[in-house]
Each structure stands twice: as C-alpha cells, then as structure tokens.
Amino acid sequence: MNWKSIKDLIKEELENELGNEPAPSPTTDTGNLPSINVGSNKFKLRLGVNKNETKLGIKVKFIAERPLDPKIKIKLEIAIMKKLQTGLASHDMIPSKDPDEPEDNTIGIWIPIEHIRELILDALNG
C-alpha cells in the first residue's frame, strides 16, 4: 500500500461519513485549509505531525467555525472516531482522540507513528 492508496482510503471514508460531496484534498498550496461538513457543522481539516514524544505521529484536526456545544462535540468525536477506526482497521492503524486538544472548537485525533511504520514495512515486504 502506498501513500496515494492511504490518502484515497481516508478520502473515501470521509466521503462516506460526511455525505455525497467529495472530501477535499488534505493539503493546499495556498495555505488555506480545506472545509468539510459534518451534519450541520462546518470544519476545516488540518493534517500535521505531532512531535510530542508520548504522542509521536500524524495529527488530524477538525476545526469548527464556531465553538461547539460540549454535548454535540462528544457526539461528533464519537462519529468521527468510529468511521476512522473502521476505515483504518484493515491497515492495522488505530486512531486515538487527542485528550490534550486545548481548543473548544477543535476535535483532535492522532495516529501513532508506529502504525505508519508498520504500514510501510508491510507494503515493502509485500
């Protein structure tokens, strides 16, 4: 499995979860973040690298345009986590909620770097 396949898988999973509109590319060359809709909530999608030694890996942030009601935020976190867990399970990747996300309008998720390493090793070993 290569990075394009991983990106396509994530895109497909997001499309299935978020509706019929195609998911935006996770990167842009203008510095603007792509937008996605989850129900009636609009989010910006930011991907990056978490360099915290205890959470080294890929971080995914879903940033709402406005603060989220805590009850709605929990429901959105659960829905996003379930979809990511299902989609990434076949690649032995388990996303985790980022408990240290400080922003009320942001849902933070990270994928441990060890899972990415194993995916690459599996791809190289066939």
Side-chain angles (χ1 to χ4, degrees), residues 5-121:
S5 298
I6 295 169
K7 194 162 68 169
D8 289 344
L9 174 68
I10 292 170
K11 181 179 174 183
E12 179 182 1
E13 291 300 322
L14 286 172
E15 286 173 359
N16 290 337
E17 178 68 24
L18 306 176
N20 294 331
E21 294 183 21
S25 169
T27 60
T28 63
D29 54 5
T30 64
N32 295 328
L33 298 175
S35 295
I36 59 172
N37 293 313
V38 179
S40 62
N41 297 285
K42 188 172 186 177
F43 289 89
K44 298 284 187 173
L45 178 64
R46 174 176 284 155
L47 301 176
V49 176
N50 194 345
K51 296 179 183 178
N52 180 326
E53 288 186 24
T54 61
K55 296 187 301 184
L56 188 61
I58 304 300
K59 61 183 171 182
V60 182
K61 290 188 174 198
F62 296 86
I63 306 165
E65 291 182 324
R66 59 186 184 281
L68 296 168
D69 175 271
K71 291 180 182 179
I72 292 174
K73 183 177 180 180
I74 290 170
K75 289 180 180 182
L76 291 168
E77 285 173 347
I78 291 169
I80 290 169
M81 288 297 295
K82 281 183 178 180
K83 195 64 174 174
L84 286 174
Q85 286 174 346
T86 300
L88 295 173
S90 63
H91 305 289
D92 295 329
M93 298 171 77
I94 302 170
S96 299
K97 177 185 173 197
D98 185 353
D100 298 326
E101 179 54 56
E103 301 297 326
D104 292 335
N105 68 329
T106 302
I107 295 172
I109 296 169
W110 64 281
I111 300 169
I113 196 71
E114 293 85 9
H115 298 191
I116 305 297
R117 182 187 67 225
E118 291 302 313
L119 179 69
I120 292 169
L121 290 172

